[in-house]
Each structure stands twice: as structure tokens, then as C-alpha cells.
Amino acid sequence: NYQDHVWIISNNKGGDVQGVFTRLSQANARLDMALKQYGHHYVEDRRLGFLNTSPADIGTALRASVVIKLVRLGKLAKFDELMQRLSIEAVMEHDEDSKRYTGIFDIGNAATLGKTEVQVINIMIRGVGICIDLERRLENGEKIDLNEILKDID
């Protein structure tokens, strides 16, 4: 009875988010059918979505993420605020030996409550797209004012 009773993970190198989601959905459907054969099912509330042991994961409990390199953007002072405004989380990966900054982040959705699986994926895709655009602008030597960018994010 640890936090997660079941994890279903689908991943792939490259940017085929739809393919990864399709495989995940198929695996989940097969598990759901197998559970029903034995008289079991996922616990679901009409208003809250799927219920589990962690209040943070109520809803879809889906975490959609990609690993990307944001060497320049990740160093900006308002990076964490940008992530929050985009409704995503950035977990920085460190060099195993030296724990030094690598600029590599696992970027994923921050919330699942009140969101469908498709909304969760789209939030992640939108946020990652904005981060990639900003990183490219920084690579090209453009000065980025995150205060102005944060004003434009709805």
C-alpha cells in the first residue's frame, strides 16, 4: 500500500507523443479489462475522477513528460515562475558524478485534478513548445525578458 499501487509507463525516444499516449491508453484498457474479469475496477468519482492514495494524483493521475535540454532558459531567474504559469514542472537532471548543472530537464504537467488525459497532454505539449522556442531565441543571442513573457501567458 505504498503511494502508487500500479504504474503504467509508456516512453519513447523522439517526439512521438501521440504514439506514446496511444500505447499507454491501450495498455491501460487491457489492464482495465483484466481487472473487470476478476470483478475489480479502478475507483472513480464522477466529480473528482480516479481516486488513489495520493491527493496530488486524484483525477487522471497521468503524468506526461518529455526530457529536453534548456541550457540557457533553465538558468534564468524567473524560470520556476515560468514553469508555474505554464502549469508544468521542471525536474532538473544532474550529472551523476559531479552533481553539476546539465541544462537537461524532465518537463511534465503539474496538475491532474479537473483535467482530462488529453488536456494534461496538451498542457505539457504547449509548455514544452514555449520552452523550446525561448531556448532557441536565447541560442540565437536574443535577450529574453521573462517578465514580459509572463504577462502574455494566460
Side-chain angles (χ1 to χ4, degrees), residues 132-150:
I132 290 171
D133 177 60
L134 293 172
E135 181 68 19
R136 284 187 180 143
R137 289 168 56 186
L138 289 166
E139 280 178 5
N140 292 330
E142 188 177 332
K143 298 291 184 203
I144 300 286
D145 183 352
L146 279 185
N147 288 320
E148 286 301 314
I149 291 167
L150 289 168

Side-chain angles (χ1 to χ4, degrees), residues 12-21 65-68 124-125 128 132:
N12 187 39
K13 290 187 181 207
D16 185 12
V17 175
Q18 184 175 0
V20 171
F21 182 67
S65 70
V66 297
V67 176
I68 60 174
M124 184 270 302
I125 289 171
V128 167
I132 290 171

Side-chain angles (χ1 to χ4, degrees), residues 12-121:
N12 187 39
K13 290 187 181 207
D16 185 12
V17 175
Q18 184 175 0
V20 171
F21 182 67
T22 299
R23 283 194 312 278
L24 176 72
S25 298
Q26 290 168 346
N28 183 59
R30 287 192 297 271
L31 177 59
D32 190 41
M33 286 189 323
L35 286 170
K36 286 179 182 172
Q37 286 178 342
Y38 291 98
H40 302 289
H41 56 86
Y42 293 125
V43 179
E44 188 174 6
D45 179 87
R46 286 183 188 205
R47 186 173 60 86
L48 299 175
F50 292 101
L51 304 178
N52 55 65
T53 60
S54 172
D57 292 332
I58 291 175
T60 68
L62 174 67
R63 181 168 194 283
S65 70
V66 297
V67 176
I68 60 174
K69 199 167 195 176
L70 302 171
V71 176
R72 292 158 188 84
L73 183 63
K75 288 183 177 180
L76 296 182
K78 299 237 176 196
F79 179 72
D80 290 337
E81 187 176 342
L82 174 65
M83 296 298 102
Q84 184 178 10
R85 293 287 297 278
L86 292 171
S87 299
I88 57 178
E89 296 175 325
V91 178
M92 185 172 45
E93 296 186 8
H94 292 90
D95 180 281
E96 291 291 325
D97 299 322
S98 66
K99 302 293 183 197
R100 66 181 163 88
Y101 178 78
T102 63
I104 299 172
F105 294 87
D106 182 337
I107 309 277
N109 58 294
T112 61
L113 184 60
K115 308 275 188 267
T116 67
E117 288 84 353
V118 172
Q119 288 171 324
V120 166
I121 299 269

